[in-house]
Amino acid sequence: MLTGSKTTFKVRQMLPDIKERMLSQSGVNARSRDVFGLRCLPGECVLQRVVMVRKKLTAREGRGWLSGTLFCTHFRVAFVPQDSPKVDDNADPVLLGDHDVALASIEKVVVVGPNRTKLVTPNSSLKFTPEELVLYCRDMRVICFLFDRLTPDAQVLEITYTIAKTYQPLRPGSVLSFQNAALGSVEMKQFLSNRRRDAQVNWFESASDWEQELERCGATSWRVSSVNDRFEMSTSLSRFIVVPQKVLDTELKKSFAHFNEGRIPRWCWRHPRGSDLLRMASFQNNIYHEKDDIRNLEMVLFGCRSSLCVVVELGEELPSPADVQLALGRLRALCLGDISTSVSVPDDKWLSTLESTHWLDYIRACLRKASEVACLLRGGHLTVALQEAEDRDLGCLVSSLVQLMCDPLCRTRHGFQSLVQKEWVAAGHRFCSRGNYHRDNDKEEAPVFLLFLDCVWQLWFQFPSRFQLTDEFLLAVHDSVHLPLFSTFLANCQRERCKRSQNLGQSYTPVNGWRDALHPDSSSDPADPPLPPVWDWALQYSRERQARFTQPVPPAPPLQPLLNGNLNTHPDSHRMNDTPPGSVFLLSRGTFTCPANLPPWRSGSSGVYKKSHRRALSSESVPGLERLLKAWSLSEFPQNPAPGSGPQGPQGPQGPTDAYEPLLPLLMGPCMGLWRGCYLRGALHAQAFSHPVSSLAHPVERLAREVQQLQARLAQASSPEPSPPAVTAEPRRPDANLNQNTNNGTFLFPASRAPAPPTAPPRAGSKNHHAPWAPPPAAAPAPRPGNKDSPGGNKHTFLFGHSSAPEARPDPRYYQLAGAAKLPKSSGPPLSS
Amino acid sequence: MASPVSVYNSNALDPHIRSPPREALKMEFLADVTLLPGEDRITDKDIIYICPFNGAVKGKVLITNYRLYFRSSDADVTVAVTLDVPLGAISRVEKMGGASSRGENSYGLDITCKDMRNLRFALKQEGHSRRDIFENLFRYAFPLSHNLPLFAYVTQEKYAEVGWSIYNPVEEFRRQGLPNKKWRISFTNKSYELCDTYPTVLAVPVRSTEDDLKRVAAFRSRGRIPVLSWIHRENQAVIVRCSQPLVGMSGKRNKDDERYLDLIREANDTPKLTIYDARPNVNAVANKATGGGYEGDEYQNAELVFLDIQNIHVMRESLKKLKDIVYPNVEESHWLSSLESTHWLEHVKLVLSGAIQVADKVCSGNSVVVHCSDGWDRTAQLTSLAMLMLDSHYRTLRGFQVLIEKEWISFGHKFASRIGHGDKNHADQDRSPIFVQFIDCVWQMTKQFPTAFEFNEHLLLTILDHLYSCRFGTFLYNCESARDANEVRLKTVSLWALVNSRMDIYLNPFYTPESGRVLYPVASMRHLELWVSYYIRWNPRIQQQQQSPVEQRYRELLALRDEYLKKLEQLQLSDSSTSSDLANSSTPNTTPSSTSTPSQYTHLQTPL
């Protein structure tokens, strides 16, 4: 998907290659792409190397030990296993191998010697020779290397000192030097500036991105306003915001002053039953208000059809960012133990200590709040506005959780990435401050985004079959947050991102000219390396590992595209027609109130509101709203007789018929899990009696692959023309880079729209990708009706359902996403293996 | 929105009875309730079930000689409630309130069950309405206290397979490669003279004589001498089980016992024999006061390790505490610390880690002796779990049945005393959930190794349900001699007959056989989980999760596969005239079937 263009490839290959060969021949162990088996980045220097090191493998990696060579460069600690396949020199640079740790992710370096353990700091000197080197990482990995007895002491000491001196945990500016080490070379800059962005992700940067989302959700009475185009109205909001059609920009402009940081109510998402989700900051009540202001606010809140608005205050029942920071700190300490003294919480106190971190409580509070909102939205025809003081932390979290619960698209990998772009990146979550990447503001540090990831994991854990993405993907996002390399996380708002890229200037013009000149997010400057977005996974993960980010065969609830928000055509018993138009309710602690003084500046003159607008503040609809919430608690009861009590005969695909029925998690104490795969990854005690587990894939995975192959065969057998879908024509194998580069000649078209069929040699290509025993496609004439419409054919079953009417022609936007959802199918490891 | 009517069924027991044999019940109350052959209706009544989750529910109750059945009758209640409780699961029936008590629903019955729930019923106060139902419940829930037979002796159920033949000790020893040069099969206990709580067939060192065995028996509590339970095929290390030596306060010695243990060590020629005493050190010392004790330094070439597992009373109290925090309502505010304070998971952890130590020792070639006080509670847990870790045969559906028959039933785990089948004495200090704890440990292992076991969670639940139900003879009585005396195998049906008649529902679809692999679960609180779908299964919110999401996903995929196979087949049929090539290529796969068996699965994998 994202690759350098052909042109830059040549440049990159020519220059360093000559240099490298010379250097390695002269025996200098630096500045080459392949140093003693380590594939270096351009400009990366190997500082130390020790052979015959064994790495302890985690349960996920299959446990046991792996022998190989340990390296320390000025960018990472790398480990190259023995007999690891030699990588093609022409392959794109990968920042980190499967066994590598970036120096910036290391939190502590600990050595274990005979009968003792010592924390190694840049200044410490060791009085013993380490037998074991343990790296504690910020992302909660614990990586353990064992030195061989035959390795000279000096070598062991040197690499330990080198790592301790180079990782420099707290020095200001270390982030920048780390970034330079990784991305600062001319070759890397050029490489990055020619990366194409993933067209399957909605980046929510341009007006058209937002318009695309409005159209997808069928939110017709909303429009994209560019009133904040130059960040004059609100510095922390994005350039484009979505507001009601009815409200003019001039009216809108007056509203900004009444909200904290000018973060006025903006549209985020529309439920197919016609409810809209809005976000806003708290009201500014220390300025003078005119009558018009109130009218404007009402316009913004009620601008669209709905007659009822529920303001959900997020402050009260949810943790503050400081709480989150404290809780994660405790959780880390608990899971990793006190590193310096190697004292960990005694096993018999584990549960109560885990409870006292409050981490799980906070997750539950967030999920509960999101479930409430999801239930309100499901009721249909109302507006739910999430209000948070600053609207930059838990607003992001709750709003995106609600969409994950309600919108199946968000549960795909690309949909999730788009969601994060919309609700976190564009909405101005202060990633940079909250992550405290520069170690200069501890007060602001708060892993709100990590709390969100854990909430998503909980949902995934309870409903794995409703997700296309996997926990491995969540883990990859989690780990990337701790790597200060991505533009996604290294700015606090869109303005900062734009500023950075504009100030940097453009010394290298993008070769393909595809990028919008206004937003060169990865332009280069000798001083400041261009930062890639985190979603450019190829920089970090091999194709094999990326393939595991999604389920081999995505779960297929009968999804319909959101057609103009018209799912509400069937009668809805909870629709509240009796509500007088324009009522505002406040939801707090599970109860609804009609606030006399919302917005606060009308306090004392609440009558004005009623009179001037002739709207009765009816409390009659309160029971209706409460019924919506009650439906949630009832829905925790099973709809069917317990499946365990009946004979568990063959059961067809389960799941509600309505794909937009929200996923409401169980929130009882016993149902909240600890994300062991993340927090207990490195827990060494867990491996006391470890034993290598089966190398075979889990039977589910194997069955999934089988289904995948059948699908492919079916696609082949049923397509009369030898025209495999575009996605399969795109080479996905790691060794196919040359092909990929030639494909990239067509970079003007987003990958998934590439009109592959006429050009690609289809039969050969598809044969390679599908089962080796697949029948020749040409021999199968019988076409399946309805599959001929789009070039994707029945490849699009995932989003459109198998039985979607033939005439329902997919809109190209959905087609794109459908392609996205489908991609992983063909991206698995070679099937014959 | 659809009205939130949901039906939940508290019966986890009977997936088997589907076609109702409705003989002559047409006009009766709750006539559609399917009864077992031999099950008779005793009484029925209008009653109010005070459901802890839905409040008072009006309905009808039916009592038979096997079960208590309740069904709600109100049409307008949002949640239809059905209860189907085998009377065997009842540990206590009490009257609640008197004829004069005031307040709604204050007059009725309070029933405590052995399977982690309580039931409360309210009746009308007029006319001693509960006397009849109370008396019948009391009578049929505790038949042994009323000189009535257990239901297992009444039932007329018939199954194709006779479950009693699943375990044959001689065959099982043969499977392990016994007898061999070092170990012989002894029938000296054939009339239970050597030890009345042991099975008739024992494996002992070749060099020990029958007289030796008798002298050793005199020095071991209740004559439970060290005998072989399992032998490692390659390194010949063995697991030997027994009871504590009768050392006493004076520190008695017994040369025969010492020599006998040394024979065990010599059998595979290792320098040291490891003796695992399951008890905490202090308890072992305290046992000296009652004539017991532990092996001291006089046992040369042996090392003694205490495994710190608490006794049956501690376990009983621990599970009681667990019940308090999960039934009826799950403790919300401090769930984890409440769970911790029950210590249940900690006990599970100690049992598992003890078994891991045993398995690890055997795997490294050292023979071990395992005992506790009498060698029928903790010892059974340790040996059976260690064998489950070491021997993949026991991880199959039938192998697991053999394991239970062998280590628990034949070696005299006192099921009758620990469970109190048919006995009204609910406060009996001999009762203890030792077997439940063992099944919990097995469940923990299946969680940590989801592909290593051929059976699924449903089997474990079924076993635990029938541990109490008294419908099968499997778990009745304390030992083989008592079973023989009561002709269990002649007069009752085995639980395994039921299980093996519908094996498909107990199979783990993910099972990947790997013989010879030793499983070492992680015995740390960080990785143990509460078995929610057993302990909290009566909570209607939990039931939603009974089918594991992964399994659900698997079934979805199976359905998808079948759909594709069918489509492919159709395509090929319509196509066969033009292309024979295509039909050939797919013949092995075109057998769409709704259930998957592992063999079929591997078959499908082969072309890849």
Side-chain angles (χ1 to χ4, degrees):
Chain A
M1 278 165 286
L2 293 165
T3 47
S5 79
K6 199 178 172 183
T7 340
T8 51
F9 241 85
K10 274 187 185 154
V11 174
R12 203 185 66 226
Q13 283 162 18
M14 295 300 285
L15 290 174
D17 258 0
I18 300 163
K19 215 155 76 183
E20 275 159 25
R21 208 160 297 141
M22 287 167 60
L23 286 172
S24 50
Q25 274 167 0
S26 60
V28 181
N29 61 347
R31 289 216 166 258
S32 79
R33 299 227 32 211
D34 192 330
V35 185
F36 304 113
L38 176 69
R39 208 168 140 268
C40 288
L41 294 171
E44 188 178 7
C45 303
V46 172
L47 302 174
Q48 276 299 327
R49 179 182 77 113
V50 177
V51 294
M52 291 192 296
V53 175
R54 286 187 299 156
K55 187 196 174 204
K56 198 178 244 177
L57 296 181
T58 64
R60 190 178 273 271
E61 292 166 323
R63 291 186 177 154
W65 298 89
L66 193 65
S67 331
T69 310
L70 184 67
F71 296 87
C72 176
T73 76
H74 58 321
F75 159 65
R76 61 180 161 166
V77 174
F79 179 77
V80 179
Q82 263 169 8
D83 321 316
S84 57
K86 199 162 156 51
V87 187
D88 180 9
D89 267 357
N90 290 336
D92 290 339
V94 171
L95 292 173
L96 294 165
D98 287 355
H99 297 284
D100 300 354
V101 190
L103 288 176
S105 324
I106 298 175
E107 189 169 34
K108 276 172 183 157
V109 180
V110 170
V111 288
V112 182
N115 311 321
R116 55 184 303 188
T117 304
K118 190 171 177 355
L119 184 73
V120 190
T121 61
N123 305 320
S124 58
S125 64
L126 292 172
K127 295 189 179 68
F128 61 94
T129 306
E131 292 168 352
E132 241 177 88
L133 173 71
V134 188
L135 303 178
Y136 287 82
C137 304
R138 292 184 199 287
D139 53 24
M140 299 182 81
R141 276 181 300 168
V142 179
I143 295 161
C144 181
F145 298 104
L146 206 68
F147 296 111
D148 194 274
R149 271 191 217 132
L150 298 175
T151 308
D153 290 3
Q155 254 190 42
V156 171
L157 285 171
E158 292 240 2
I159 197 161
T160 309
Y161 288 141
T162 310
I163 293 171
K165 285 205 172 72
T166 336
Y167 86 99
Q168 291 165 330
L170 294 172
R171 197 168 58 82
S174 61
V175 169
L176 190 64
S177 63
F178 172 74
Q179 288 165 355
N180 271 315
L183 312 170
S185 67
V186 177
E187 293 90 343
M188 276 309 276
K189 284 179 183 172
Q190 196 149 34
F191 170 70
L192 287 174
S193 66
N194 286 298
R195 302 285 286 177
R196 273 199 295 110
R197 289 209 309 197
D198 194 338
Q200 288 151 356
V201 174
N202 188 338
W203 295 79
F204 289 98
E205 284 182 353
S206 66
S208 65
D209 289 346
W210 284 98
E211 268 152 17
Q212 182 186 325
E213 179 75 352
L214 279 176
E215 203 172 324
R216 183 184 79 88
C217 294
T220 46
S221 45
W222 300 85
R223 68 181 178 90
V224 179
S225 164
S226 54
V227 67
N228 197 39
D229 193 20
R230 306 170 69 95
F231 305 109
E232 280 164 346
M233 295 286 121
S234 167
T235 49
S236 67
L237 282 182
S238 56
R239 294 173 63 213
F240 303 101
I241 54 176
V242 177
V243 296
Q245 289 273 14
K246 282 187 208 166
V247 183
L248 302 175
D249 275 357
T250 48
E251 295 168 328
L252 203 59
K253 278 182 183 167
K254 292 180 189 157
S255 307
F256 284 93
H258 298 303
F259 289 88
N260 201 348
E261 289 189 41
R263 297 175 69 88
I264 57 163
R266 292 112 47 218
W267 177 91
C268 306
W269 185 70
R270 183 178 181 83
H271 192 280
R273 289 202 180 138
S275 300
D276 291 299
L277 183 65
L278 270 57
R279 286 176 61 176
M280 60 182 174
S282 61
F283 303 107
Q284 286 283 23
N285 49 9
N286 55 356
I287 59 166
Y288 179 72
H289 304 279
E290 293 175 28
K291 233 180 194 175
D292 278 356
D293 299 335
I294 299 161
R295 203 187 66 86
N296 285 341
L297 169 66
E298 286 192 337
M299 290 272 282
V300 175
L301 286 178
F302 298 108
C304 301
R305 295 176 302 228
S306 59
S307 56
L308 188 65
C309 175
V310 179
V311 174
V312 179
E313 166 58 49
L314 297 181
E316 281 190 12
E317 292 150 76
L318 298 179
S320 70
D323 293 336
V324 177
Q325 166 70 359
L326 208 58
L328 190 66
R330 292 198 195 106
L331 185 73
R332 293 176 66 91
L334 174 63
C335 292
L336 298 180
D338 186 335
I339 295 158
S340 40
T341 57
S342 64
V343 170
S344 59
V345 171
D347 216 32
D348 57 341
K349 290 277 170 275
W350 163 259
L351 291 173
S352 53
T353 320
L354 177 62
E355 179 183 286
S356 65
T357 65
H358 293 298
W359 181 253
L360 292 175
D361 288 341
Y362 295 156
I363 288 171
R364 183 182 313 159
C366 293
L367 286 169
R368 174 168 289 141
K369 187 55 82 184
S371 304
E372 279 177 12
V373 174
C375 285
L376 287 177
L377 292 172
R378 175 174 63 177
H381 295 285
L382 46 76
T383 303
V384 177
L386 306 177
Q387 187 173 39
E388 190 198 10
E390 288 189 309
D391 182 35
R392 297 179 74 174
D393 290 301
L394 290 150
C396 306
L397 188 148
V398 173
S399 155
S400 34
L401 270 186
V402 168
Q403 292 172 59
L404 270 159
M405 287 172 176
C406 298
D407 189 344
L409 184 74
C410 296
R411 304 194 286 263
T412 65
R413 173 180 149 188
H414 288 101
F416 182 84
Q417 295 176 167
S418 306
L419 180 71
V420 172
Q421 283 296 125
K422 179 169 71 167
E423 297 298 339
W424 295 81
V425 178
H429 173 64
R430 285 182 293 183
F431 274 114
C432 195
S433 305
R434 292 302 185 211
N436 197 11
Y437 289 99
H438 298 289
R439 305 282 143 216
D440 54 357
N441 194 348
D442 292 350
K443 261 194 281 176
E444 289 286 304
E445 186 173 342
V448 179
F449 187 68
L450 299 182
L451 182 71
F452 165 67
L453 287 180
D454 199 330
C455 292
V456 180
W457 181 83
Q458 303 281 349
L459 274 181
W460 177 88
F461 186 63
Q462 292 196 20
F463 306 97
S465 61
R466 306 287 296 276
F467 280 78
Q468 183 239 14
L469 58 85
T470 61
D471 57 336
E472 282 207 44
F473 173 73
L474 294 175
L475 206 56
V477 179
H478 176 274
D479 293 350
S480 305
V481 171
H482 295 88
L483 210 54
L485 283 182
F486 305 108
S487 60
T488 316
F489 302 130
L490 285 167
N492 285 329
C493 56
Q494 203 179 8
R495 181 164 160 268
E496 270 182 33
R497 285 186 191 86
C498 289
K499 221 169 153 185
R500 176 186 161 91
S501 44
Q502 274 164 358
N503 286 352
L504 290 176
Q506 288 184 268
S507 37
Y508 296 89
T509 317
V511 181
N512 54 21
W514 171 77
R515 203 182 319 270
D516 184 346
L518 266 174
H519 318 286
D521 61 302
S522 55
S523 65
S524 346
D525 182 273
D528 236 357
L531 299 179
V534 67
W535 314 126
D536 193 349
W537 294 112
L539 289 178
Q540 286 194 74
Y541 291 92
S542 60
R543 284 189 181 279
E544 287 77 11
R545 289 192 62 187
Q546 284 183 60
R548 303 218 299 260
F549 286 177
T550 50
Q551 300 204 23
V553 177
L559 289 197
Q560 293 125 22
L562 291 149
L563 288 173
N564 302 323
N566 276 344
L567 266 187
N568 50 11
T569 43
H570 45 78
D572 186 345
S573 59
H574 280 287
R575 195 164 156 177
M576 280 163 296
N577 295 324
D578 53 338
T579 312
S583 307
V584 178
F585 292 93
L586 191 67
L587 171 64
S588 173
R589 298 191 184 278
T591 52
F592 294 93
T593 46
C594 314
N597 54 348
L598 173 109
W601 58 78
R602 275 189 297 100
S603 56
S605 58
S606 58
V608 176
Y609 185 65
K610 256 190 222 173
K611 280 173 204 159
S612 63
H613 303 286
R614 292 185 187 85
R615 283 172 182 160
L617 270 180
S618 161
S619 51
E620 277 164 34
S621 47
V622 168
L625 287 167
E626 278 169 354
R627 209 162 58 224
L628 291 182
L629 279 196
K630 209 174 159 202
W632 165 49
S633 60
L634 277 178
S635 70
E636 282 195 63
F637 288 83
Q639 299 293 312
N640 310 310
S645 64
Q648 300 192 331
Q651 277 164 310
Q654 287 192 334
T657 42
D658 181 359
Y660 294 97
E661 199 53 34
L663 307 181
L664 299 175
L666 295 176
L667 299 176
M668 278 194 289
C671 303
M672 303 297 294
L674 180 71
W675 190 3
R676 291 195 174 87
C678 181
Y679 307 131
L680 291 178
R681 270 184 287 181
L684 299 173
H685 53 83
Q687 298 172 11
F689 286 95
S690 68
H691 194 274
V693 291
S694 167
S695 56
L696 293 165
H698 192 276
V700 175
E701 229 162 89
R702 280 183 287 156
L703 181 63
R705 299 239 177 275
E706 196 189 331
V707 170
Q708 185 186 346
Q709 287 163 15
L710 280 171
Q711 228 170 14
R713 278 182 61 194
L714 197 63
Q716 281 187 329
S718 59
S719 58
E721 306 284 309
S723 58
V727 273
T728 44
E730 203 183 346
R732 315 275 316 156
R733 283 161 302 144
D735 54 335
N737 272 288
L738 288 174
N739 290 346
Q740 210 156 13
N741 289 332
T742 53
N743 255 17
N744 283 337
T746 60
F747 54 77
L748 280 172
F749 304 98
S752 59
R753 288 198 219 179
T759 50
R763 229 176 293 169
S766 51
K767 253 189 193 166
N768 282 343
H769 280 286
H770 301 126
W773 39 271
R784 309 290 301 162
N787 283 339
K788 288 189 288 183
D789 276 299
S790 67
N794 56 4
K795 274 281 167 182
H796 296 285
T797 46
F798 173 50
L799 275 174
F800 298 113
H802 326 280
S803 52
S804 63
E807 65 271 18
R809 196 130 36 89
D811 174 302
R813 280 171 293 107
Y814 296 114
Y815 168 32
Q816 224 182 65
L817 291 160
K822 237 25 196 181
L823 275 178
K825 289 192 175 181
S826 44
S827 65
L831 296 167
S832 46
S833 64
Chain B
M1 213 193 93
S3 64
V5 171
S6 63
V7 177
Y8 74 90
N9 184 350
S10 304
N11 168 29
L13 283 185
D14 249 315
H16 299 272
I17 312 299
R18 281 286 136 179
S19 53
R22 302 184 185 178
E23 318 105 21
L25 298 173
K26 276 162 209 141
M27 298 308 291
E28 273 181 287
F29 203 62
L30 289 172
D32 55 334
V33 180
T34 311
L35 301 184
L36 296 168
E39 185 178 355
D40 289 323
R41 291 162 171 268
I42 306 295
T43 182
D44 47 41
K45 204 166 214 77
D46 282 319
I47 208 164
I48 296 163
Y49 168 49
I50 303 173
C51 174
F53 312 106
N54 301 296
V57 185
K58 276 186 196 160
K60 293 164 180 178
V61 72
L62 165 70
I63 293 179
T64 72
N65 52 354
Y66 172 66
R67 78 183 84 203
L68 178 155
Y69 189 92
F70 170 85
R71 190 187 295 150
S72 58
S73 54
D74 282 5
D76 61 312
V77 282
T78 49
V79 181
V81 179
T82 311
L83 289 176
D84 190 347
V85 188
L87 297 182
I90 293 176
S91 78
R92 178 180 192 178
V93 185
E94 276 186 313
K95 291 176 185 169
M96 171 180 78
S100 59
S101 10
R102 314 243 161 229
E104 210 184 349
N105 299 333
S106 60
Y107 175 81
L109 296 172
D110 196 345
I111 298 171
T112 310
C113 295
K114 296 170 182 173
D115 58 359
M116 306 286 288
R117 59 179 159 168
N118 293 347
L119 306 170
R120 295 181 83 184
F121 293 100
L123 293 113
K124 291 193 194 94
Q125 260 145 311
E126 309 84 65
H128 304 289
S129 58
R130 77 176 166 197
R131 184 190 290 157
D132 163 58
I133 191 164
F134 175 80
E135 278 172 8
N136 278 311
L137 258 185
F138 206 72
R139 195 175 157 83
Y140 288 97
F142 311 119
L144 294 187
S145 304
H146 296 88
N147 288 319
L148 287 172
L150 291 164
F151 182 72
Y153 286 88
V154 178
T155 181
Q156 303 293 317
E157 282 181 271
K158 293 275 185 298
Y159 291 95
E161 182 184 320
V162 182
W164 294 119
S165 57
I166 189 85
Y167 170 58
N168 176 326
V170 177
E171 253 174 49
E172 170 60 19
F173 281 131
R174 196 172 298 139
R175 186 189 69 83
Q176 295 182 20
L178 298 175
N180 61 16
K181 281 182 198 155
K182 304 285 187 180
W183 295 89
R184 67 186 176 91
I185 309 292
S186 163
F187 296 91
T188 182
N189 198 35
K190 62 178 181 299
S191 48
Y192 306 107
E193 279 164 352
L194 183 75
C195 171
D196 60 353
T197 57
Y198 259 9
T200 51
V201 183
L202 302 170
V204 294
V206 163
R207 290 174 56 198
S208 64
T209 65
E210 306 293 299
D211 283 345
D212 287 340
L213 298 183
K214 278 185 191 126
R215 283 195 293 269
V216 173
F219 190 64
R220 289 278 164 178
S221 174
R222 298 173 201 268
R224 295 172 67 89
I225 59 165
V227 293
L228 178 145
S229 264
W230 190 79
I231 184 162
H232 194 287
R233 278 257 180 196
E234 276 88 51
N235 63 31
Q236 298 289 302
V238 295
I239 299 178
V240 167
R241 61 181 291 171
C242 59
S243 61
Q244 63 182 340
L246 298 173
V247 176
M249 293 298 275
S250 54
K252 280 197 290 274
R253 287 183 62 171
N254 183 311
K255 289 277 179 202
D256 296 300
D257 193 65
E258 287 164 30
R259 203 177 68 85
Y260 183 80
L261 287 194
D262 213 45
L263 284 180
I264 293 171
R265 179 190 64 78
E266 276 173 24
N268 81 330
D269 210 25
T270 41
K272 261 214 156 65
L273 177 72
T274 308
I275 302 169
Y276 285 104
D277 189 328
R279 302 166 291 184
N281 194 343
V282 239
N283 297 25
V285 173
N287 259 290
K288 284 188 171 179
T290 52
Y294 52 90
E295 292 83 355
D297 294 335
E298 64 273 17
Y299 288 83
Q300 284 162 4
N301 307 324
E303 57 171 350
L304 182 68
V305 178
F306 292 103
L307 293 178
D308 277 330
I309 301 170
Q310 299 291 338
N311 62 24
I312 59 167
H313 310 293
V314 176
M315 301 306 182
R316 180 180 58 235
E317 295 313 309
S318 173
L319 190 63
K320 199 180 265 172
K321 280 186 200 153
L322 180 63
K323 180 176 174 177
D324 287 343
I325 63 162
V326 299
Y327 191 91
N329 293 309
V330 175
E331 176 79 39
E332 275 291 355
S333 53
H334 294 286
W335 163 249
L336 290 174
S337 42
S338 306
L339 180 61
E340 184 178 279
S341 66
T342 69
H343 297 292
W344 180 255
L345 282 179
E346 217 183 309
H347 295 312
V348 165
K349 170 191 134 176
L350 281 171
V351 172
L352 269 177
S353 67
I356 290 168
Q357 290 180 55
V358 172
D360 189 52
K361 197 55 110 182
V362 170
C363 211
S364 60
N366 294 291
S367 293
V368 300
V369 172
V370 183
H371 71 72
C372 47
S373 295
D374 287 316
W376 50 42
D377 293 311
R378 287 166 276 197
T379 302
Q381 288 179 329
L382 289 170
T383 55
S384 52
L385 285 171
M387 287 155 71
L388 204 58
M389 291 168 196
L390 289 163
D391 191 338
S392 58
H393 172 68
Y394 297 125
R395 304 196 285 259
T396 63
L397 181 58
R398 282 175 177 274
F400 189 63
Q401 297 168 16
V402 169
L403 182 71
I404 290 178
E405 283 282 345
K406 175 176 153 61
E407 287 305 298
W408 289 86
I409 296 168
S410 84
F411 272 102
H413 172 68
K414 301 208 291 176
F415 281 106
S417 305
R418 298 287 175 256
I419 308 301
H421 293 127
D423 179 49
K424 66 176 180 185
N425 185 8
H426 61 83
D428 188 347
Q429 291 297 302
D430 260 357
R431 294 195 184 176
S432 185
I434 298 302
F435 187 73
V436 174
Q437 192 172 53
F438 159 70
I439 296 288
D440 192 333
C441 293
V442 176
W443 180 83
Q444 303 284 354
M445 285 181 68
T446 63
K447 273 283 160 190
Q448 293 192 17
F449 302 97
T451 64
F453 292 83
E454 193 191 16
F455 52 87
N456 59 17
E457 186 181 50
H458 188 49
L459 177 79
L460 300 180
L461 290 170
T462 304
I463 289 172
L464 287 187
D465 282 334
H466 291 297
L467 173 66
Y468 304 119
S469 76
C470 296
R471 180 174 148 196
F472 300 99
T474 304
F475 297 119
L476 301 183
Y477 302 107
N478 281 336
C479 54
E480 293 290 45
S481 56
R483 265 172 223 116
D484 284 359
N486 290 286
E487 299 176 294
V488 168
R489 286 186 174 80
L490 285 175
K491 294 183 172 170
T492 72
V493 178
S494 163
L495 169 61
W496 313 128
L498 169 101
V499 169
N500 296 335
S501 71
R502 286 279 319 266
M503 282 175 113
D504 55 323
I505 62 173
Y506 302 108
L507 290 177
N508 169 15
F510 313 135
Y511 177 54
T512 315
E514 284 177 278
S515 61
R517 179 175 295 284
V518 183
L519 305 183
Y520 292 118
V522 179
S524 153
M525 293 299 279
R526 288 154 167 81
H527 291 266
L528 295 180
E529 284 171 54
L530 182 73
W531 189 7
V532 168
S533 45
Y534 179 69
Y535 299 115
I536 320 186
R537 64 178 163 160
W538 308 122
N539 190 314
R541 293 186 183 190
I542 295 291
Q543 287 198 335
Q544 204 176 23
Q545 291 195 320
Q546 273 200 351
Q547 190 175 24
S548 92
V550 192
E551 200 170 329
Q552 189 183 325
R553 168 100 182 112
Y554 192 81
R555 292 188 195 284
E556 278 174 21
L557 284 172
L558 276 181
L560 212 56
R561 185 189 68 177
D562 294 342
E563 186 190 319
Y564 289 146
L565 282 172
K566 227 174 256 168
K567 275 188 191 164
L568 262 181
E569 202 177 22
Q570 281 166 7
L571 278 174
Q572 285 153 12
L573 281 179
S574 67
D575 201 33
S576 51
S577 53
T578 49
S579 163
S580 57
D581 193 26
L582 204 122
N584 284 340
S585 69
S586 63
T587 33
N589 288 351
T590 45
T591 43
S593 72
S594 45
T595 55
S596 136
T597 61
S599 63
Q600 183 195 1
Y601 184 67
T602 42
H603 172 65
L604 277 162
Q605 280 297 301
T606 40
L608 314 180

